[in-house]
Structure formats: C-alpha cells, structure tokens
Amino acid sequence: MSQMTKPLPAPDMRVLFDILVVFQGELLIGQVSPDVTAHVIRRLTSDGLVAEDASVGELGAVIGDLLQRVRYALGEYATLPSPSPRETTYVLSAPSLEAARACQEQLIAWGGSAVTIRDAQDSRGWTMRDASDTNEWEVAANFPELAPDPAHAARVIQVSELAREHGGRYQGSGR
C-alpha cells in the first residue's frame, strides 16, 4: 500500500463510499454493462489493483476492499484492513449428521477447503430440544469462485444438487 497523501473531508469520503457501495451492488447483480466493467478493469489494471484478465467477481472483491479502506479513512477501523480472501463460502443444510458427513466428503473431493459441519440448532443459540425439534446440520465449504462469475453460478448449482441428493437444501453463499 502506498503512503497516504492528503485526507479528504469526511462528507466527501462518505459520498465516495456510497458510490462504491452502489457500484459494487450493481456489479454483483449483473447490472453494469460489459463495456463499463472492462473500462474499470483496465483502469484498475493501470493502477496495479487487478490483473488485466480480472473477472467481474475479482473486480467486485477489489471494490469491496476499497470500501473497507474508505471505512478506515472515515475512522471506523484502527488499522488499515487487509485485502479480503478471494473465496466464497457455500452453505448447505442436511437432515442428519450422516447426510452432512456425506456432503462434507463430496465437497472435499471437489476441492473445497475449510469444510465444516455444525449443528444448525446450536449455532442459532438453541440450548434445549424436545421431541418436536428437528435435527438439522449445516455444512460449509470454501471455493475460489467469486460472484457473479459463471463459475460461481455453476458451483451454486452443484452444491444445491448435492444438498438435494442428501435430503437437504442449499442455504446460500457469501464472502
């Protein structure tokens, strides 16, 4: 990170933050034209922030990192945040521990990292169960695809199908 130069007034920083938030949101839902996306990638490439062949997902991640640095500049963080990991966590639910373990094995076989299983009820803070409670397990795995890239959409389909095969459901993904 290069040395900071001169600070901007806080209202200007908030406006830049708002612009970046809107741009990132539009980018992630596919509302930014390919021409504008390519232009922004070229510009960020010349500034050394992304590779020339960066995907839309990578661009979104860089914009997210810029947002965190603006928050730092606004005084929300004591130290400059590090860049975010370039991976997505996909989460599915399974109706039994056995089904969750089968999903875990498959996610590992597909190359997932940090593949974990947790009791969904315990994670929600429920401490007591009775006969009417259902036992549900969450399985989470990290993969390198970033939304909204096609590889991310393909992974969502793959994880959704895996969950259905084991009587569960896809819960979503996030960075």
Side-chain angles (χ1 to χ4, degrees):
M1 171 77 37
S2 62
Q3 184 164 341
M4 304 221 359
T5 55
K6 296 180 183 178
L8 291 172
D12 291 352
M13 292 300 296
R14 283 190 290 276
V15 167
L16 290 172
F17 179 84
D18 291 345
I19 291 168
L20 286 172
V21 166
V22 170
F23 180 71
Q24 184 187 40
E26 294 292 310
L27 188 69
L28 294 177
I29 63 170
Q31 295 300 309
V32 180
S33 77
D35 290 340
V36 170
T37 301
H39 182 80
V40 172
I41 289 173
R42 279 192 305 275
R43 179 59 193 240
L44 295 181
T45 297
S46 69
D47 291 333
L49 292 176
V50 296
E52 197 171 296
D53 62 346
S55 69
V56 176
E58 177 64 22
L59 176 59
V62 168
I63 298 299
D65 291 344
L66 287 171
L67 282 164
Q68 295 307 307
R69 291 196 290 274
V70 170
R71 292 180 73 185
Y72 164 76
L74 286 167
E76 294 182 29
Y77 304 134
T79 59
L80 188 65
S82 299
S84 63
R86 297 304 192 250
E87 61 188 10
T88 299
T89 302
Y90 299 83
V91 180
L92 61 85
S93 66
S96 67
L97 182 57
E98 295 75 26
R101 286 185 177 144
C103 291
Q104 180 185 40
E105 288 177 20
Q106 185 59 60
L107 292 165
I108 291 169
W110 288 338
S113 64
V115 183
T116 60
I117 297 174
R118 71 178 182 183
D119 185 325
Q121 292 176 338
D122 287 345
S123 71
R124 295 183 185 122
W126 299 338
T127 56
M128 293 184 61
R129 295 189 183 159
D130 61 32
S132 65
D133 288 334
T134 59
N135 197 11
E136 188 173 85
W137 299 86
E138 289 181 348
V139 184
N142 296 339
F143 287 92
E145 306 87 23
L146 299 173
D149 294 339
H152 170 74
R155 183 72 68 188
V156 167
I157 292 168
Q158 186 181 45
V159 173
S160 296
E161 289 173 356
L162 176 66
R164 276 192 301 277
E165 287 172 16
H166 294 279
R169 65 187 184 286
Y170 176 68
Q171 298 285 24
S173 63
R175 288 186 0 102

